[in-house]
Amino acid sequence: MNAGADLTLIRERKPLVHQITNYVVMNETANATLALGALPVMAHALQEVEEMATAASALVLNIGTLSDAWVESMVLAGLAANRAGVPVVLDPVGAGATTYRTETSRRLLAELRIAVVRGNSAEIATLAGRSAQIRGVEAVGEAGGPELAREAARELGAVVAVTGPVDHVSDGSTVHGVANGHELLGTVTGTGCMSTAITGCFLGVRGDDPLAAATEALVAFGVAGEDAAKKAKGPGSFHVALYDALYDLDPKKLDSRAKLS
Amino acid sequence: MNAGADLTLIRERKPLVHQITNYVVMNETANATLALGALPVMAHALQEVEEMATAASALVLNIGTLSDAWVESMVLAGLAANRAGVPVVLDPVGAGATTYRTETSRRLLAELRIAVVRGNSAEIATLAGRSAQIRGVEAVGEAGGPELAREAARELGAVVAVTGPVDHVSDGSTVHGVANGHELLGTVTGTGCMSTAITGCFLGVRGDDPLAAATEALVAFGVAGEDAAKKAKGPGSFHVALYDALYDLDPKKLDSRAKLS
Amino acid sequence: MNAGADLTLIRERKPLVHQITNYVVMNETANATLALGALPVMAHALQEVEEMATAASALVLNIGTLSDAWVESMVLAGLAANRAGVPVVLDPVGAGATTYRTETSRRLLAELRIAVVRGNSAEIATLAGRSAQIRGVEAVGEAGGPELAREAARELGAVVAVTGPVDHVSDGSTVHGVANGHELLGTVTGTGCMSTAITGCFLGVRGDDPLAAATEALVAFGVAGEDAAKKAKGPGSFHVALYDALYDLDPKKLDSRAKLS
């Protein structure tokens, strides 16, 4: 893992990160992507998703406000990304909250080769076949812990990142804990979706090592959250400071600030 | 009316507020909901709205960027909410501006049991069968006054909240005036929609008394607006400060700051 | 050209600017429109776009997240605007990045009478039949220069505004260069879309002279960007300050601050 070096690569190469995501956070994930140093593009039409995904360095699929036409686009884009060797990260927003979300997440996992799944403990537990409590898109109750990440990774055949007070990232054998972040992240909608978009940015330069990419992304996003919290008086000012902090992330200090376990 | 106690309940219970709303303000109403202390969830697919609305503590329907598929989802979600005893608040954005918006608002009012309708004076006057002037989604001309709220509540069979420089909330007999707020609220898009979402939050803990819930919501939102204005240099900084202010609302001081008539 | 006087007109008349735009920037372009002093309205349903466009003072078409239903709405709205003498500005977001975007832009230009096309150098070069490099929705490589604007204006039969470090606006004979702006504009998503919305605002009071309207809009937006940059610590705080700056634009100083060539 070398978060600083990969952040530098992102800023040099500006990987194009194609995002088919939910209406609530489109502006936010685009701005987080741009602030970090990569290039976001949103496109969901059946006529263009294959072309766009093929041209991209990473594809982000997020089911936060799904509907049938969008799911078809996600499948088409994902298949094109798979053919082109473009890594795919999935954010199964609200899996467990409704049957439709659970089944759509399972379908995407079945039909596509997913590099990383990033979700909260309830979403990941649902997909791993464990019992979970979710209210809307918010996990309720105990955090997942390293075992959830490891088991889900084995079950789903993908690197799994379970975010919470401490994040856990696993490829089914190794588990990285990331304790960076700040509780204000939970007061702004879409910060989970942003962390998925940032994972896409790191996958855009480290598609060969999704475990490293996902871990580095959570370190970078968590450190930015820590920096933003210092300037914040509440959710609104934190949200604004978060983009400034992503933009200001210092690659030279990133690895020394990582709180890994 | 006890705005402070109900705000405390919101923060303790974190009611899930299911919102089927317009593309322009989704992020904003989600963040306002979260900053106040409730849990937002956006879901519009026909396959899941009934499940989500049934699991929610309140349902917000907002026609700001409507289309046929979304209207069908609103009806389905509303019927499910009605069956489950989940209170519904309607924001008839732009009623009067186009025939489609007026007719859709009327249809939702006819097919669903709506607890609260929250709109500007032109939208409410249109639905109450009065003449009104609206440009886009902005009311033009005189404010509604208490009589509009009272008559509309009788006509529509719901609590009606007419917002403006002074808000008026009525169940058809009692009328509460709420003079909290700040003119900067008019410089940010979606603040009306946010006040509807906040109404949903209060309905989520006071579904038994929609007149109180709607009035308390406008007090809370207005007080937050006043606090935000103190930190603002214009619409952008006001918008940011508004989330901080919602998050910082002090339940112990809320009722004493209410400007009721 | 008289940017100050036309800004004053905007604030007096509050032209209604109907925007059929992309999901990513809807909130942002609505807020920019409102901060400047005009009235935004978003509406895309086939049932209402003709009514709304006819009632508006300008129509903004932006293909940033297009799909078939939205394209049909744009055509319907555009035809209604043309019949009613309402000026239309087109933002061909991502033309050149996918075939679908290029062809949709061409279709809108063929079927509608477009007053102004506002895009980056790659989008405009693509539509003018030149070779161009675009990654996602970002122009790569050399800026367009005055010749691109002039030639594209002739080719497309519309005023063309090519934005970049220096903007160039042309009606096919005259070319105005606008050097206002700040590099932080490139770190926030949707600032190009905002400049198109602002163009719509100026067209709403200067539909008789689209070359002047487009140039004035870029002066106003660029000056606001300069003001915002003074308060900004990064993309997030710049974004916020941009709305404050649009709101604070001083009509009396606007023309003297224009960096025209």
Side-chain angles (χ1 to χ4, degrees):
Chain A
M1 216 209 62
N2 199 330
D6 285 337
L7 175 57
T8 299
L9 274 184
I10 288 169
R11 290 178 177 165
E12 283 169 10
R13 292 187 196 163
K14 298 188 178 303
L16 182 66
V17 182
H18 178 192
Q19 309 183 27
I20 306 182
T21 186
N22 71 73
Y23 300 121
V24 186
V25 304
M26 275 191 197
N27 188 272
E28 283 61 33
T29 63
N31 271 325
T33 302
L34 209 48
L36 188 76
L39 279 183
V41 70
M42 272 59 183
H44 69 285
L46 290 168
Q47 294 93 326
E48 67 173 353
V49 289
E50 294 172 287
E51 197 176 349
M52 197 65 96
T54 303
S57 297
L59 173 65
V60 177
L61 303 178
N62 175 310
I63 66 162
T65 54
L66 74 182
S67 60
D68 277 357
W70 285 67
V71 174
E72 293 314 313
S73 291
M74 290 185 196
V75 171
L76 262 189
L79 291 172
N82 283 174
R83 285 193 300 273
V86 173
V88 181
V89 51
L90 171 67
D91 191 329
V93 181
T98 65
T99 307
Y100 186 45
R101 288 172 190 244
T102 307
E103 286 180 354
T104 297
S105 302
R106 291 211 169 112
R107 180 182 165 198
L108 293 170
L109 281 158
E111 298 193 17
L112 304 176
R113 200 165 60 249
I114 304 285
V116 180
V117 183
R118 204 289 315 160
N120 64 35
S121 57
E123 291 157 352
I124 299 297
T126 296
L127 296 181
R130 288 188 177 192
S131 72
Q133 255 200 302
I134 190 162
R135 289 181 66 217
V137 298
E138 202 79 13
V140 175
E142 51 177 332
E147 275 318 298
L148 174 61
R150 193 196 317 262
E151 285 173 28
R154 284 180 188 168
E155 182 70 31
L156 305 179
V159 166
V160 168
V162 187
T163 52
V166 176
D167 310 323
H168 293 97
V169 189
S170 178
D171 59 1
S173 54
T174 306
V175 184
H176 294 152
V178 180
N180 294 98
H182 192 278
E183 59 184 8
L184 277 167
L185 285 164
T187 68
V188 177
T189 202
T191 50
C193 303
M194 282 188 221
S195 74
T196 305
I198 299 294
T199 303
C201 298
F202 277 87
L203 278 172
V205 299
R206 283 298 289 274
D208 60 321
D209 188 346
L211 177 65
T215 309
E216 291 167 1
L218 295 176
V219 166
F221 191 64
V223 167
E226 294 165 10
D227 291 345
K230 286 173 199 154
K231 315 241 167 121
K233 288 163 190 157
S237 47
F238 176 75
H239 191 171
V240 171
L242 189 55
Y243 301 113
D244 287 356
L246 285 166
Y247 187 74
D248 274 341
L249 277 178
D250 184 347
K252 287 196 286 290
K253 295 182 183 161
L254 199 51
D255 291 283
S256 65
R257 292 185 62 188
K259 297 176 186 163
L260 293 173
S261 60
Chain B
M1 215 208 64
N2 199 330
D6 285 338
L7 175 57
T8 299
L9 274 185
I10 288 170
R11 289 179 178 164
E12 282 169 11
R13 293 188 196 162
K14 297 189 178 303
L16 182 65
V17 182
H18 178 192
Q19 308 183 28
I20 307 183
T21 187
N22 71 71
Y23 300 121
V24 187
V25 305
M26 276 193 197
N27 188 271
E28 283 62 34
T29 65
N31 271 324
T33 301
L34 210 49
L36 188 76
L39 280 182
V41 70
M42 270 61 182
H44 69 285
L46 290 168
Q47 294 95 326
E48 67 172 354
V49 289
E50 294 172 287
E51 198 176 350
M52 197 65 97
T54 302
S57 298
L59 173 66
V60 177
L61 303 179
N62 174 310
I63 66 163
T65 53
L66 74 182
S67 60
D68 277 356
W70 284 67
V71 174
E72 293 314 313
S73 291
M74 290 185 196
V75 172
L76 262 190
L79 291 173
N82 283 174
R83 285 192 300 272
V86 173
V88 181
V89 51
L90 171 66
D91 192 330
V93 182
T98 65
T99 307
Y100 185 45
R101 287 172 190 243
T102 307
E103 287 180 354
T104 297
S105 302
R106 292 211 168 111
R107 180 182 165 198
L108 294 170
L109 282 158
E111 298 193 16
L112 304 176
R113 201 166 59 249
I114 303 286
V116 181
V117 183
R118 204 289 316 159
N120 65 35
S121 57
E123 291 158 352
I124 299 297
T126 296
L127 296 181
R130 286 189 179 192
S131 73
Q133 255 200 301
I134 189 162
R135 289 181 65 219
V137 297
E138 202 80 13
V140 175
E142 50 176 334
E147 275 318 299
L148 174 60
R150 193 195 319 261
E151 285 173 26
R154 285 179 187 169
E155 182 70 31
L156 305 179
V159 166
V160 168
V162 186
T163 53
V166 176
D167 310 324
H168 293 97
V169 189
S170 179
D171 60 0
S173 53
T174 307
V175 184
H176 294 152
V178 180
N180 294 99
H182 192 278
E183 59 184 8
L184 277 167
L185 285 164
T187 68
V188 177
T189 203
T191 51
C193 304
M194 283 187 219
S195 74
T196 305
I198 300 292
T199 303
C201 299
F202 278 88
L203 279 172
V205 298
R206 282 299 288 275
D208 60 321
D209 189 345
L211 178 66
T215 308
E216 291 166 2
L218 295 175
V219 167
F221 192 64
V223 167
E226 293 165 11
D227 291 345
K230 288 174 198 152
K231 315 241 168 121
K233 288 164 189 155
S237 47
F238 176 76
H239 191 172
V240 171
L242 189 55
Y243 300 114
D244 287 355
L246 285 167
Y247 186 74
D248 274 341
L249 277 178
D250 184 348
K252 287 196 286 292
K253 295 183 184 160
L254 199 50
D255 291 284
S256 67
R257 293 185 61 188
K259 298 177 187 161
L260 293 173
S261 60
Chain C
M1 216 207 65
N2 199 330
D6 284 337
L7 175 57
T8 299
L9 275 184
I10 288 170
R11 289 178 177 165
E12 283 169 10
R13 293 188 196 163
K14 297 189 177 301
L16 182 65
V17 182
H18 178 192
Q19 309 184 26
I20 307 182
T21 186
N22 70 72
Y23 301 121
V24 187
V25 305
M26 276 192 198
N27 187 271
E28 284 61 34
T29 64
N31 271 325
T33 302
L34 209 48
L36 187 77
L39 279 182
V41 70
M42 271 59 183
H44 70 284
L46 291 168
Q47 294 95 324
E48 67 173 354
V49 290
E50 294 171 288
E51 198 176 349
M52 197 67 96
T54 303
S57 298
L59 173 66
V60 176
L61 303 178
N62 174 310
I63 65 162
T65 53
L66 74 182
S67 60
D68 277 357
W70 284 67
V71 174
E72 293 314 314
S73 290
M74 290 185 196
V75 171
L76 262 190
L79 291 172
N82 283 172
R83 284 193 299 273
V86 173
V88 181
V89 51
L90 171 67
D91 192 330
V93 182
T98 65
T99 307
Y100 185 45
R101 287 171 189 244
T102 306
E103 286 179 354
T104 297
S105 303
R106 292 211 168 112
R107 180 181 165 200
L108 294 170
L109 282 159
E111 298 193 17
L112 304 175
R113 201 167 59 249
I114 304 285
V116 180
V117 183
R118 203 291 315 160
N120 64 35
S121 57
E123 292 157 351
I124 299 298
T126 296
L127 296 180
R130 287 189 179 191
S131 72
Q133 254 199 300
I134 190 162
R135 289 182 64 219
V137 297
E138 202 80 13
V140 175
E142 50 176 334
E147 275 318 299
L148 174 61
R150 194 196 316 263
E151 285 174 26
R154 285 179 187 168
E155 182 70 31
L156 305 178
V159 166
V160 168
V162 187
T163 52
V166 176
D167 310 325
H168 293 96
V169 189
S170 179
D171 60 1
S173 53
T174 307
V175 184
H176 294 151
V178 179
N180 294 98
H182 193 277
E183 60 184 8
L184 277 167
L185 285 164
T187 68
V188 177
T189 202
T191 50
C193 304
M194 283 188 221
S195 74
T196 305
I198 300 293
T199 303
C201 299
F202 277 87
L203 279 172
V205 299
R206 283 299 290 274
D208 61 320
D209 188 346
L211 178 65
T215 308
E216 291 167 1
L218 295 176
V219 167
F221 192 64
V223 167
E226 294 165 10
D227 291 345
K230 287 174 198 153
K231 314 243 167 119
K233 288 163 191 157
S237 47
F238 176 75
H239 191 171
V240 172
L242 189 55
Y243 301 114
D244 286 355
L246 284 167
Y247 187 74
D248 274 341
L249 277 178
D250 184 347
K252 287 195 287 291
K253 295 184 186 160
L254 199 50
D255 291 282
S256 66
R257 293 185 61 189
K259 298 177 187 161
L260 294 174
S261 59

